[in-house]
Amino acid sequence: MSTVLEQIEQQIARLSTKAVKKNTGNIRTLADGVAKIDGLSAVMYNEMVQFPGGAIGIALNLEEDEVGCVILGDISKLKEGDEVQTTGRLLSVPVGKALLGRVVDALGNPVDGKGPIAAQETYPVERIAPGIIVRKSVSQPLFTGIMAIDSMIPIGRGQRELIIGDRGTGKTTIAIDTIINQAKINKVGLASGDKNFRPVYSIYVAVGQKNSNIVRTMAALEAAGAFEYTTIVAAPAADNPANQYLAPFSGAAMGEWFMENGMDALIVYDDLSKHAVAYRQISLILKRPSGREAYPGDVFYLHSRLLERSARLDGKGSLTALPLIETQAGDVSAYIPTNVISITDGQIFLETDLFNQGIRPAVSVGLSVSRVGSAAQIKATKQVGGKLKGELAQFRELAAFAQFGSDLDAKTKAQLDRGARIVELFKQPAFNPIPIEVQVAVLFAMQRGVFDSIEVKKIVPAAASLREFFTARKNPLLTEIRTKAALDKDIEAKLQAAVDEWKPTFNA
Ligand SMILES: Nc1ncnc2c1ncn2[C@@H]1O[C@H](COP(=O)(O)OP(=O)(O)O)[C@@H](O)[C@H]1O
Ligand SMILES: [Mg+2]
């Protein structure tokens, strides 16, 4: 008798009561990558749901009698009435160094034909941004390699700097240049054996672009040897809007991995205008009420929760963001541009007029600002370029009214002469970042008036010649500038001697 009881007791003890909560529903309507689903009463906001055939969706609209989901993946086999299941999980993407040198889609699946990605970890695509306490103020530079930016609108690690301008003003080029420059710095830094060197890894998120553009970007990175430090997250124009909506968040998760693991990363969102359009499209299909310019009311929240994830974390790493915004006819007061301007720590404003005049990169000095980066600028750049921004802004003002009269006093004329030369000095071809130490050398020459005796239209070749001279002949001096990051009397004397040595070699 007792053995029977014991056996029953054992059976009861072994009984597993772990209930698996599975909530199901059925597709009511299906259109444009969005499904309305009956049932799914227990689904959470932003939860992944499983469709038959492997497609997954994200629950975005939780209404009383239906749930609105965007669908990711192949939707061609889905039909109305199909069963849908909740998963209890938030959407996650693979993260880690295995993604470097790869092109992935919005879900982190490889699309470059180079085989599977051996990622060890996944991160959720939506994550609460770091709070105030864990953040540290920006104090380490992130060099773009573009002289006009590094000297006048410097960017620091953990900063969010908007690149804004019309189509074809060089926005993407600036972002790619910055990625290339990180790769160049990484190579020099890692080879130097300096234990304190912190490489910067890059993530380039392409949203709503033509495939041909993405291929061109990849080719430019590869040609510059920068692709091995970069992940491209591609949600091209032909992708459904759900993927385009998701891609920046997936990229942010990949960037966060570096930040959380004590490394530094850079993320480029190219561009958030198209991202907003994809989100508007989804919202309209979901029948959410539309607001200004037909965007849903929470498009501001969409971009702020994305950009707030960039930070510099105390004791960990950083994630620097370069969001891009395309304006129409230079109108920065439209809805999406004003939103993103207010969420970022400054903007680099590119002007079509300047671009067409051949002033490239077409950075507008007056309208561009970096609100936190100057704390991260190295002392050497401040020493040789501290006054440039003021001088250039003054030059533009003077030049505008100097057109009307030829009677200029000597002082105004000198200011105009100098301004015109600074403008020339900042011209820089695409995909050609200049190391910060070379920038310092060139700006030093400018400060000492070395270019004053050279004709304005010869400044571009003169500056190129000077850069080449330094790179080829003055490597130890350049290394000294880079490592000390400030100019003392001794370095200044060496710089002066080098510039004096160069001057006669340039036939103006
Ligand atoms: N600094 C530059 N010097 C010369 N050409 C440039 C420069 N920056 C951009 N371009 C050229 O201008 C065109 C538009 O640049 P792109 O970066 O694609 O603009 P956006 O992203 O603003 O549409 C490209 O053909 C690019 O090669
Ligand atoms: Mg572009």
Side-chain angles (χ1 to χ4, degrees):
M1 187 65 194
S2 68
T3 55
V4 173
L5 273 177
E6 267 168 30
Q7 270 178 9
I8 292 173
E9 267 170 10
Q10 273 171 13
Q11 290 274 354
I12 290 172
R14 253 186 276 137
L15 186 73
S16 162
T17 52
K18 216 169 89 196
V20 181
K21 202 164 116 195
K22 212 183 237 170
N23 195 244
T24 63
N26 296 88
I27 300 180
R28 183 191 285 175
T29 62
L30 188 64
D32 302 298
V34 168
K36 299 279 178 62
I37 298 163
D38 279 329
L40 292 189
S41 55
V43 75
M44 297 178 293
Y45 179 67
N46 257 335
E47 181 177 347
M48 252 163 83
V49 297
Q50 182 77 51
F51 290 94
I56 52 174
I58 314 171
L60 283 184
N61 262 27
L62 309 184
E63 285 163 37
E64 238 167 77
D65 58 345
E66 66 175 19
V67 172
C69 285
V70 291
I71 307 168
L72 307 155
D74 185 15
I75 57 172
S76 60
K77 291 187 190 72
L78 299 180
K79 56 185 186 307
E80 282 162 22
D82 277 353
E83 194 181 87
V84 189
Q85 284 181 2
T86 59
T87 61
R89 279 183 296 140
L90 296 175
L91 189 63
S92 299
V93 288
V95 293
K97 282 195 175 170
L99 283 119
L100 295 174
R102 302 299 303 260
V103 185
V104 298
D105 65 10
L107 291 170
N109 301 315
V111 290
D112 51 8
K114 290 187 195 163
I117 294 173
Q120 311 286 330
E121 266 180 274
T122 60
Y123 267 26
V125 296
E126 286 273 6
R127 226 154 163 246
I128 306 277
I132 298 165
I133 308 295
V134 295
R135 285 179 192 245
K136 216 169 151 197
S137 63
V138 169
S139 67
Q140 292 170 325
L142 186 124
F143 300 119
T144 62
I146 294 164
M147 274 181 68
I149 297 175
D150 289 342
S151 63
M152 297 186 293
I153 320 152
I155 298 172
R157 295 187 188 193
Q159 183 172 349
R160 298 150 303 175
E161 182 79 6
L162 168 65
I163 302 175
I164 184 166
D166 281 2
R167 195 173 142 207
T169 50
K171 300 183 298 296
T172 301
T173 306
I174 286 181
I176 301 302
D177 267 335
T178 308
I179 294 179
I180 292 175
N181 200 39
Q182 304 319 307
K184 294 203 159 148
I185 296 171
N186 288 354
K187 282 183 184 152
V188 174
L190 294 171
S192 75
D194 176 3
K195 276 195 212 69
N196 295 321
F197 177 73
R198 300 177 65 89
V200 175
Y201 301 96
S202 304
I203 295 143
Y204 176 81
V205 184
V207 179
Q209 294 186 35
K210 285 181 291 209
N211 272 319
S212 59
N213 271 348
I214 301 175
V215 169
R216 213 172 51 202
T217 298
M218 195 180 132
L221 291 175
E222 227 154 27
F227 195 46
E228 57 186 293
Y229 299 103
T230 311
T231 303
I232 296 182
V233 182
D239 242 355
N240 73 36
N243 286 310
Q244 295 182 41
Y245 150 75
L246 189 67
F249 291 91
S250 305
M254 293 166 193
E256 272 165 345
W257 181 85
F258 289 102
M259 175 167 71
E260 290 291 337
N261 288 285
M263 288 172 273
D264 293 329
L266 163 74
I267 186 160
V268 173
Y269 302 109
D270 192 359
D271 64 55
L272 291 188
S273 307
K274 297 195 186 75
H275 183 237
V277 168
Y279 189 59
R280 173 169 67 186
Q281 202 172 336
I282 292 170
S283 303
L284 289 174
I285 300 167
L286 284 169
K287 297 210 166 57
R288 288 184 176 179
S290 54
R292 190 174 155 189
E293 292 175 28
Y295 288 103
D298 67 345
V299 69
F300 181 91
Y301 176 53
L302 176 82
H303 285 157
S304 57
R305 72 174 192 263
L306 176 69
L307 293 170
E308 278 293 271
R309 286 163 70 175
S310 292
R312 179 167 174 230
L313 296 185
D314 201 8
K316 291 181 180 172
S318 70
L319 179 61
T320 310
L322 294 179
L324 272 61
I325 285 281
E326 186 173 293
T327 50
Q328 310 292 328
D331 182 13
V332 289
S333 63
Y335 186 35
I336 302 301
T338 44
N339 276 358
V340 182
I341 285 173
S342 73
I343 302 165
T344 45
D345 308 303
Q347 71 275 347
I348 295 165
F349 185 60
L350 303 178
E351 274 182 284
T352 311
D353 278 355
L354 294 177
F355 192 87
N356 293 341
Q357 285 169 37
I359 301 174
R360 302 175 189 178
V363 176
S364 159
V365 180
L367 293 175
S368 300
V369 59
S370 172
R371 282 189 275 272
V372 295
S374 59
Q377 194 170 41
I378 59 168
K379 188 165 172 224
T381 305
K382 283 186 185 143
Q383 284 171 302
V384 292
K387 295 203 195 93
L388 286 172
K389 199 169 185 215
E391 277 178 330
L392 258 187
Q394 214 171 28
F395 164 71
R396 294 240 201 277
E397 230 166 73
L398 283 176
F401 93 90
Q403 291 177 331
F404 300 109
S406 50
D407 267 357
L408 299 172
D409 58 287
K411 188 173 161 247
T412 312
K413 184 142 188 333
Q415 277 180 329
L416 282 172
D417 279 352
R418 190 169 165 78
R421 286 181 171 79
I422 301 175
V423 169
E424 294 299 308
L425 203 65
F426 281 152
K427 286 185 181 171
Q428 201 174 321
F431 307 142
N432 221 330
I434 302 172
I436 195 71
E437 58 273 18
V438 178
Q439 293 186 22
V440 168
V442 173
L443 292 177
F444 175 86
M446 181 78 214
Q447 193 187 40
R448 295 284 169 111
V450 175
F451 294 106
D452 290 354
S453 58
I454 297 171
E455 267 182 90
V456 170
K457 60 176 189 287
K458 296 255 173 71
I459 295 288
V460 171
S465 155
L466 181 62
R467 292 199 299 262
E468 223 177 271
F469 173 83
F470 267 97
T471 318
R473 312 262 297 271
K474 300 290 160 195
N475 223 336
L477 177 55
L478 290 177
T479 308
E480 198 177 345
I481 297 173
R482 189 177 63 240
T483 45
K484 289 195 178 150
L487 305 185
D488 53 26
K489 284 266 159 344
D490 177 45
I491 297 182
E492 279 180 1
K494 284 186 197 158
L495 273 170
Q496 185 66 51
V499 171
D500 290 341
E501 189 187 331
W502 162 78
K503 189 77 189 277
T505 69
F506 179 70
N507 302 315

